[in-house]
Amino acid sequence: MTGSEVIVIGAGAAGLGAARRLAAAGIAVRIVEARNRVGGRAWTAHDPSGLPIELGCAWLHSADENELSALALQSGLGVDKTRPPWRTQMNNVGFAPADLADFRAALGRLFARLDEAGEAEDDQPADRLLDPGSRWNPLLNATSTYMNGVELDQVSVHDFWRYRDTGVNWRIVEGYGCLMAALAAGLDITFECPASMIDHTGAQVRIETPHGDLRAREVIVTVPTGVLAAGGLRFHPALPDKVEAAAVLPLGLADKLYLGLDGAEEFPKDSHLYGAIDSLHTASYHLRPFGRPLIEVYFGGRFARELEVDGDSAFAAFAIGQLASLLGEGIRKRLHPIAATAWARDPYALGSYSHAMPGHAEARTVLAAPVDGRLFFAGEACMVHDFSTAHGAYRSGVAAADDVIAALGKR
Ligand SMILES: Cc1cc2nc3c(=O)[nH]c(=O)nc-3n(C[C@H](O)[C@H](O)[C@H](O)COP(=O)(O)OP(=O)(O)OC[C@H]3O[C@@H](n4cnc5c(N)ncnc54)[C@H](O)[C@@H]3O)c2cc1C
């Protein structure tokens, strides 16, 4: 294989954003992707009847100012504006309205403290802002695992505070995977081509892959922090600053399970259940997303990790048992496991989305910084305000491409 002007490593939202920008500027760009598909952590599969199921991202966060909303519409995809049902309890099952109001008040107090503490000079773990001994602390921690992929003891207050969200959340009817496929149209992508080493000693950057060495003037690296920290992609000369930054921006864990639901019409469309209100061993249930006869179950943090270790059927066994305790034993025969993820075991992700360890919010800027005007870095973890999101990843790719265009212009 011969040289390209620019090689982008990874065909997730960041890599596609970068390659589209470069291609639009008339620069020869090639993507090398380890998997046999585009999208990375944006991954839409289908249930046996052909309905889309989102195994990775599902929501267009900050949708009213999210460029992926407009790109989805331009690609002929549907954008659904139904409000997310999070923080509601279908038919008050197992969560009395007064208790739910009390929990929401506790969450509001936590957010207010995060706001205040975010402005302070010193960073701290977010669990220090909990009311000591509050009955709501397990559920607040579980909520953190859905938002951050980890419990509050591993969340940097500074990092959390910098995250920007307009509170508007929409969805792509056909699935994020369809958007990624549309964004990839016309791009030069080599699949099943994991890069293992980037040698930046010579006049051209050399990339080692199982298909042989590739060469390029400039390289944009978009692999997740889990892969960088684990040495899944190495550099010569080594880049310890990057590896250290990646290690303190680990990917937290969120896993999904989809259940088919017989007689779904009995339940309201787009409704939600908290599985338990007093335990971290719980899940969040989105019933009938888009009115479909499905339940999307969300697991996070240490509990999701434990279930991954227990094996593929552990998610379904837990969720069906928890739903039976809420909705009655009769629900068991109406539920059919369709698919479960194991993002921590996925060698090209090693987790779900990044969070900064307490004291390390600045690592995002270290990770994003170019090296010698030839190696550029993108991906959701590089973003100070939009980390952990698909649109943040896309933006980071576009920004890295702009840096490459500027660097090429200087030569
Ligand atoms: C369960 C779950 C739910 C989520 N929910 C939402 C949501 O609702 N809304 C939202 O905005 N975000 C959500 N996210 C986060 C969002 O999916 C990610 O932030 C975003 O997709 C990351 O894009 P990226 O390009 O930075 O990384 P990735 O999508 O991980 O792309 C990196 C690419 O690099 C490839 N790669 C890895 N190693 C190599 C290598 N050595 N050589 C070549 N290629 C390699 C990978 O295969 C991958 O394709 C969710 C994520 C998960 C897992």
Side-chain angles (χ1 to χ4, degrees), residues 8-16 32-35 37-43 54-61 66 68 86 163 176 180 193-196 222-224 227 232-233 251 254-256 298 341 343 346-349 351-354 378-381 386-394 396:
V8 176
I9 301 183
L16 296 175
V32 296
E33 166 56 51
R35 304 176 196 271
R37 61 169 179 86
V38 298
R41 285 172 273 163
W43 182 22
E54 297 283 35
L55 298 177
C57 52
W59 295 92
L60 294 156
H61 296 309
N66 179 334
L68 297 182
W86 316 321
Y163 180 76
Y176 251 108
M180 294 296 139
C193 190
S196 53
T222 77
V223 307
V227 174
L233 175 60
L251 300 195
D255 272 319
K256 289 188 184 179
Y298 215 88
T341 63
W343 285 104
D346 181 324
Y348 301 122
S352 300
Y353 27 86
S354 71
E380 53 88 8
D386 310 307
F387 55 84
S388 79
T389 66
H391 66 278
Y394 189 82
S396 75

Side-chain angles (χ1 to χ4, degrees), residues 256-290:
K256 289 188 184 179
L257 162 74
Y258 274 87
L259 298 169
L261 174 63
D262 293 345
E265 310 72 36
E266 178 192 338
F267 302 109
K269 290 179 187 172
D270 281 307
S271 51
H272 175 262
L273 285 172
Y274 287 98
I277 61 173
D278 55 0
S279 171
L280 257 169
H281 282 209
T282 188
S284 165
Y285 300 82
H286 184 156
L287 290 89
R288 299 189 65 200
F290 299 94

Side-chain angles (χ1 to χ4, degrees), residues 21 68 84 96 139 200 207 260 276 285 291 302 308 333 335 339 342 352 381:
R21 180 64 139 230
L68 297 182
L139 196 52
H200 53 115
I207 300 162
Y285 300 82
R302 294 180 179 111
E308 279 199 20
K333 59 180 181 308
L335 296 171
S352 300

